[in-house]
Amino acid sequence: MTQQAKPLLTDEMKRAIGVESDPVALAVEAGHVRRFAEAIGDSSPLFTDEKRARKSRYGGVIAPPTFLRALPRPEPKVELKLPTTRTLDGGSDWEYFEPVRVGDVITARARITAIAERALSMGPALFITQETTYTNQLGEKVATQRSTRIGY
């Protein structure tokens, strides 16, 4: 007779789905954008040269798309007590809708959108999907990040 493993996914975890974080905001400054572009090795004048960027379709300096990773990460207002001992980054998908401009105030909010239990060769695992939405001071959605964390 074999014993079935106790399910990892609890009702408490299911209630965490949809709970939103407090907003995290950041004013986008030219120096921050320039240093970020230098750090990632991107010498595009769109990120560093106001005179040339004004002649572009953006009309001014914008931030590299990956700049949003420099924002403090908002965390949903729930504490997930995972019954697992290890965590793995399962990757992220990004969608971009509007450029991030110098002078913008970007606000990020996050929420857990799904938690699923799956059987892996090493045992049961939890796949936690979180969506972070970034909006500017005009209320325009500039990007969405969907990231997955795997607890096993």
Side-chain angles (χ1 to χ4, degrees):
M1 178 177 210
T2 59
Q3 279 189 320
Q4 285 195 329
K6 184 178 175 183
L8 298 179
L9 184 56
T10 65
D11 289 339
E12 182 182 2
M13 290 178 197
K14 291 175 186 174
R15 286 190 294 273
I17 296 171
V19 176
E20 195 168 83
S21 70
D22 287 327
V24 173
L26 177 75
V28 179
E29 300 171 352
H32 195 186
V33 170
R34 185 175 38 258
R35 284 190 301 276
F36 187 86
E38 290 169 0
I40 63 171
D42 194 326
S43 60
S44 170
L46 286 174
F47 311 137
T48 58
D49 185 335
E50 182 63 34
K51 189 174 181 180
R52 290 180 63 188
R54 282 185 181 209
K55 296 176 182 172
S56 74
R57 66 182 172 139
Y58 301 108
V61 172
I62 61 171
T66 53
F67 178 81
L68 294 172
R69 285 198 173 265
L71 268 71
R73 184 184 168 126
E75 293 293 333
K77 294 188 284 186
V78 294
E79 183 179 343
L80 283 182
K81 296 176 183 164
L82 299 181
T84 56
T85 57
R86 297 182 179 145
T87 303
L88 179 69
D89 182 349
S92 292
D93 291 317
W94 288 81
E95 285 185 84
Y96 297 97
F97 306 102
E98 297 289 335
V100 174
R101 302 173 186 282
V102 168
D104 278 353
V105 176
I106 302 298
T107 301
R109 289 183 172 85
R111 63 186 173 94
I112 295 170
T113 57
I115 304 175
E117 183 173 344
R118 296 184 188 163
L120 302 179
S121 61
M122 62 186 84
L126 290 170
F127 287 69
I128 302 150
T129 305
Q130 180 172 311
E131 182 175 292
T132 304
T133 302
Y134 301 88
T135 56
N136 63 22
Q137 71 282 359
L138 302 174
E140 299 169 325
K141 186 189 316 184
V142 297
T144 301
Q145 174 190 15
R146 285 179 201 82
S147 56
T148 302
R149 181 172 42 144
I150 303 168
Y152 62 98

